[in-house]
Amino acid sequence: MKRALVIFALLWFAAVGLLTAGTTALRVGHLIDPGTGTVAANQVILVSDGKIAEIGPGVKIPSGVEVIDLTKAWVMPGLMDAHTHMTFGGLSLTSGIEAIYLKQSSAARVLVGLRNAQDVLRAGFTTIRDVGNEANFASVDLRDAINRNLFDGPTILTTGKIIAPFGGQSMRIPPEQGRFWLYEYIDADTPDEVRKAVRQVIYYGADAIKLVADNSPFFYSLAEIQAAVSEGHAAGRAVSVHIFAGGEPARTCILGGVDSIEHGFLLEDELLALMKEKGTALVSTDFPEAHIAGIDPSGLYFGSAKEFAAKIVDRLKRARRAGVTLVFGTDTVNHLPGKNRPEMMLDYLASWQAAGIPPAETLKAMTTNAAKLLRIEKIRGALSAGLAADIIATPANPMEDIQAIRRVQFVMKDGKLIRNDT
Ligand SMILES: [Zn+2]
C-alpha cells in the first residue's frame, strides 16, 4: 500500500512536471489593455506553448515553473507597425528611389531587412506589415526565415511587390533604359491586369496587397480598385493603397472598398468622413520634420519640411476628429545619424503627441487596431487567454507619457524570451 502511494506520488509529480515544463509565469505590476484603455494592478500571466494560457489577478502559479518578476513594470501586448520597409533604407529623393534598387541585390536587401527586423523586435515591435519596396520578394524570404526559426524576428506580414499603374513609383525614366522598375513593382493598367498582378504577388508569397494609386498624373479607376479588392479579399488578403495626398484618387479607393489608405497626407475632411462611413482605416505614416528633411533635403518632393510636417499633424488631428480608425504605421526608409530603425519608427510618436492623440488611443493604434487591419486579431494584438504571448514591458507608464515605449526593457515573442533588462 505504501509503495503504491509512493509510485502514485512520483507519477503525479512527473505529470505536473511535464505539464509545467514549457510554462512561464509573469508576475505583472501594471497590466495595460489597449483595447479598453484600462490598467489592472497585480496580475499573473501564464505562458505555455507560445500562448497565453491564463491571465488575471487570481491565477495560481504552479510550483516549479519559471517566474519572471515584472511587478515594477508596465506590461502590454507587443507593438505593431502596419507600414514598414524592412529591406529598404538610405532613401534620398535627391538621387531618386531608383538608386537603391539599381545598386542592391535581393540578397543584400534581405540582409538589411534581417538586421532591421531583429532591431525592431528588441525594441518591442512584435508584428510588422511590410508594404513593398523589397526588391524581388526579399521580404518573403525574410519572413520565411524568421518563421522557420532560423532567426529571431517579429511576425512579418508582407505585401511583396507593389502593384501600380505603368511605371511604379518612377516617372520619366528614358525609354531606352527599359522597365527596370519591374524589379520592385508590377505594372497593372486594366482591371484584368490588376487581378493578375494580385494573383502573382499572392503566388510569390504575399500576405496582403499593396497598390500605389496616385504617384502619376494617371490614377487607378474605380473598376481597377474594385478588381484588386475582390481578388484580394477572395484570397483573404487585406488591400492597402498608397495615396500620397487625397482628392479623387483617394475617393476612388475608399469607394472601391480598400481596407486602408496609407499616408493620405492631405486627405480632405469630406474624404475622412467617407472613410469613417466605409470603415476604411488610415495608416497615417506621420513623418516628423527631421525625417522629411532627411529623405528630401532639397525639398523637391515635399517642399518645406517644417510646413509639410505641420500639414501631416493637422491631417492626423482631423482624421481623429472624423472618427477614422487610426493604425500606427511609419514608413521609415532612411536613418538619421546615430539612430537605428526602431528609434526612427518611434520618432513618429512625437507627431501623434503634436496632434493631441491621447496615449491610450496611440497604443490602440499600435495594437488592437493594427491587428484588425492585418486580420490577425484572433491570433495576436491583445493579452488574453489563447492569444500569442507577444508581451512587452516598460519601466514607466505609457498611458501617461507615450514616450515610455521608447524604453521597452522586456520582450517576449510567441512565448520566447527575447530580452529582459528589468
Ligand atoms: Zn511606404
Side-chain angles (χ1 to χ4, degrees), residues 90-100 102-103 295-298 300:
L91 176 66
S92 165
L93 293 174
T94 309
S95 49
I97 191 172
E98 298 82 8
I100 292 167
L102 282 174
K103 291 191 172 172
I295 57 172
D296 189 23
S298 46
L300 273 174

Side-chain angles (χ1 to χ4, degrees), residues 83 85 131 210 263 331:
H83 192 117
H85 302 281
V131 287
K210 166 84 177 293
H263 321 300
D331 201 27

Side-chain angles (χ1 to χ4, degrees), residues 308-325:
F308 204 89
K311 282 181 190 165
I312 292 177
V313 167
D314 175 64
R315 184 279 275 113
L316 184 55
K317 217 184 264 181
R318 290 186 292 108
R320 176 175 178 249
R321 206 183 300 140
V324 174
T325 298

Side-chain angles (χ1 to χ4, degrees), residues 73-145:
W74 274 261
V75 173
M76 72 203 89
L79 306 173
M80 299 187 175
D81 184 324
H83 192 117
T84 69
H85 302 281
M86 283 292 118
T87 67
F88 195 77
L91 176 66
S92 165
L93 293 174
T94 309
S95 49
I97 191 172
E98 298 82 8
I100 292 167
Y101 49 85
L102 282 174
K103 291 191 172 172
Q104 297 177 17
S105 66
S106 288
R109 297 278 293 277
V110 84
L111 289 170
V112 167
L114 179 58
R115 179 54 199 258
N116 286 333
Q118 292 178 333
D119 286 347
V120 303
L121 177 61
R122 285 186 59 78
F125 287 95
T126 52
T127 300
I128 55 174
R129 184 180 60 170
D130 214 63
V131 287
N133 290 124
E134 44 85 87
N136 212 8
F137 293 97
S139 64
V140 169
D141 292 329
L142 175 63
R143 177 202 63 198
D144 291 351

